[in-house]
Amino acid sequence: MAGRNGRTVRDLRRANRTAVLQRLYFDGPLSRFELGPATGLSSGSVSNVVADLVADGLVEEAGSVDSDGGRPRTLLRVAPASGHMIGVDVGETRVRVELFDLTLTELARAERPLVQQRYDVDVIVGHIRDGIAEVLATAALPPERLLGAGIGVPGIVEHTADRGAVVHGQTIGWDAVPLEALLRAGSPLPDTAPYLIDNGAKTLGQAEMWFGAGRGARNAVVVLFGSGVGASLVTPEAEQGRAVEWGHLTVRVRGRRCRCGALGCLEAYAGAESLLARWREEGGRVPQGTDEETALTTMLAAAYPAGGEAADPVALAVLEETAEYLGAGLSDLINLFQPERILIGGWAGLQLGTRFLPAVRRHAVSYALRHPAQKVTVELGRLGPDAVTVGAAILPLADFFARGGRHPEPVPDYPVPAWRTALQERTPH
């Protein structure tokens, strides 16, 4: 029966379960007494919801605490083994797959390097499937225990009713790739475990906002600085974050050609790929056959040598120019969105780290309007190289919370395009 606001009793119960689960997850362990003011529920509602969650195996006791003059109060927490999530980072140098329990403790991981045919759709789909099968086997976890697999990818993700998640990745050569349908065909996951796919910068942002340097901020921009650059905007209106194609902001008319095909994009100057290309053009020496991460390490060692050696002036000049472009790009975000915090993550951002950050911060403030610039802080993310994977795993976790801790319904079968039906015959190993 629906109430005046259209909500049914079932909706109300789900909302109450969600409220209790989230408070225990982020603030627990808590007693029943503490859950009342924390959730806004009556003591009777709290008792009923907790009883249901304990019966479902989602909540367990976690010791007790003395009360004022009364008997000790039992503490409650979310049961770590009551659900599991998989996070996948389709990155620029590798596909990383991690299995987590409900409290995001890592249980297993698998990595597949991307060398040749880096973003061939068949290769990526195979790596994801194989990685999922590997972590499930490593942890000896029945697939039925999974809440789902979250996947962070480059590009724009469109969620459609007839094909599921479709990826538009112009910089990687993906034109409307129905990734969810391709993964579901021959999937190592059961029908009740969804694939939840979103932009990698957005999953990075979600991880930093939930567990990292963004906690407590209402408005933030989280930057993914890798081979290219991307960003996620978090506001009160978009609490889950919104991916913005910041890397393709034009910073120089008729400038360098970006890998998206346009001229003068920020990514053509501030991404690691372009940074290394500019160093090579100026005579920088990178050993043949090295990947981007190793090449950037080589460049950093040349620009900031240890032991009192002379710095390579070319490497240093390119890095300083890159810091200015990145700072100028951040100033646009500051002027447009007036965030409280800007957080820089991604493998290249983490490698450049504290040596690079002061120059980026200085340029960002100098190019931005004075008032919003005075209110923003620019710092590194805190979750390290696994932040995208953790953020991807948050996608099924957030979905689990939204359903009040209920496991998903069977996922619909999306039609697989004829040009990819061969993928159905590929089995994980």
Side-chain angles (χ1 to χ4, degrees):
M1 179 177 178
R4 291 183 181 178
N5 59 4
R7 298 180 71 191
T8 65
V9 173
R10 183 178 179 182
D11 292 334
L12 183 60
R13 287 175 178 167
R14 181 174 62 245
N16 290 349
R17 285 169 61 100
T18 295
V20 171
L21 274 174
Q22 287 184 324
R23 289 283 62 78
L24 287 176
Y25 191 83
F26 289 107
D27 302 326
L30 296 171
S31 67
R32 290 171 177 82
F33 178 79
E34 293 170 310
L35 279 169
T39 60
L41 299 177
S42 68
S43 58
S45 295
V46 168
S47 295
N48 290 335
V49 171
V50 167
D52 285 345
L53 295 173
V54 170
D56 290 344
L58 296 176
V59 169
E60 63 187 15
E61 294 185 359
S64 62
V65 62
D66 292 336
S67 62
D68 295 333
R71 62 182 182 177
R73 291 177 180 145
T74 301
L75 294 176
L76 303 167
R77 68 176 183 182
V78 173
S82 58
H84 297 80
M85 302 84 66
I86 288 175
V88 180
D89 175 11
V90 179
E92 295 146 332
T93 59
R94 63 176 60 82
V95 173
R96 177 182 289 125
V97 181
E98 296 182 60
L99 174 68
F100 303 91
D101 68 14
L102 203 63
T103 58
L104 285 173
T105 299
E106 182 188 311
L107 304 178
R109 74 162 55 199
E111 293 192 357
R112 300 289 189 274
L114 297 177
V115 186
Q116 298 176 343
Q117 300 177 311
R118 285 172 60 183
Y119 289 111
D120 179 86
V121 175
D122 294 15
V123 171
I124 296 296
V125 170
H127 283 341
I128 294 173
R129 286 189 187 158
D130 292 350
I132 288 174
E134 182 178 329
V135 297
L136 290 175
T138 300
L141 180 73
E144 294 74 19
R145 299 278 296 277
L146 282 173
L147 304 180
I151 303 171
V153 297
I156 299 169
V157 180
E158 177 187 15
H159 297 279
T160 67
D162 57 340
R163 293 190 296 167
V166 175
V167 182
H168 304 271
Q170 188 167 324
T171 60
I172 62 173
W174 284 19
D175 182 15
V177 171
L179 184 59
E180 185 176 354
L182 296 175
L183 287 169
R184 182 54 62 185
S187 169
L189 299 184
D191 291 341
T192 54
Y195 287 98
L196 301 171
I197 301 169
D198 218 323
N199 175 271
K202 183 176 173 181
T203 69
L204 169 68
Q206 187 140 35
E208 288 290 350
M209 296 303 292
W210 276 33
F211 303 109
R215 290 200 69 176
R218 286 171 51 82
N219 299 275
V221 172
V222 184
V223 171
L224 176 59
F225 183 15
S227 290
V229 290
S232 173
L233 172 67
V234 181
T235 66
E237 296 74 31
E239 293 182 357
Q240 303 303 318
R242 177 164 61 88
V244 290
E245 290 296 322
W246 174 61
H248 303 289
L249 181 80
T250 301
V251 294
R252 190 166 183 174
V253 177
R254 294 186 294 275
R256 294 176 64 90
R257 187 167 298 280
C258 177
R259 57 183 182 173
C260 76
L263 297 175
C265 293
L266 174 64
E267 190 166 291
Y269 295 91
E273 183 178 291
S274 63
L275 188 159
L276 291 166
R278 284 161 39 230
W279 187 40
R280 290 188 182 97
E281 290 165 9
E282 298 294 330
R285 296 180 180 179
V286 179
Q288 292 293 325
T290 57
D291 60 31
E292 281 186 355
E293 293 189 32
T294 304
L296 186 57
T297 300
T298 301
M299 183 179 185
L300 286 171
Y304 307 109
E309 299 177 13
D312 178 343
V314 175
L316 196 56
V318 172
L319 283 168
E320 289 176 348
E321 183 185 44
T322 301
E324 183 166 7
Y325 273 113
L326 192 61
L330 292 181
S331 74
D332 290 322
L333 296 175
I334 293 170
N335 291 341
L336 287 170
F337 303 115
Q338 301 180 28
E340 298 170 44
R341 299 177 199 173
I342 293 177
L343 310 175
I344 299 177
W347 66 265
L350 295 173
Q351 273 203 37
L352 293 168
T354 54
R355 284 175 170 167
F356 195 62
L357 191 61
V360 172
R361 188 185 291 119
R362 184 176 66 254
H363 289 303
V365 170
S366 68
Y367 280 104
L369 292 170
R370 186 182 306 112
H371 181 70
Q374 289 173 341
K375 294 177 175 291
V376 69
T377 61
V378 182
E379 56 191 282
L380 293 176
R382 296 177 188 166
L383 297 182
D386 293 341
V388 173
T389 320
V390 171
I394 289 175
L395 297 176
L397 178 61
D399 181 61
F400 181 66
F401 284 155
R403 286 181 282 97
R406 305 293 187 190
H407 282 260
E409 299 294 328
V411 180
D413 289 327
Y414 296 110
V416 180
W419 55 279
R420 288 295 185 224
T421 50
L423 283 168
Q424 297 180 24
E425 302 172 2
R426 191 182 194 281
T427 56
H429 56 272

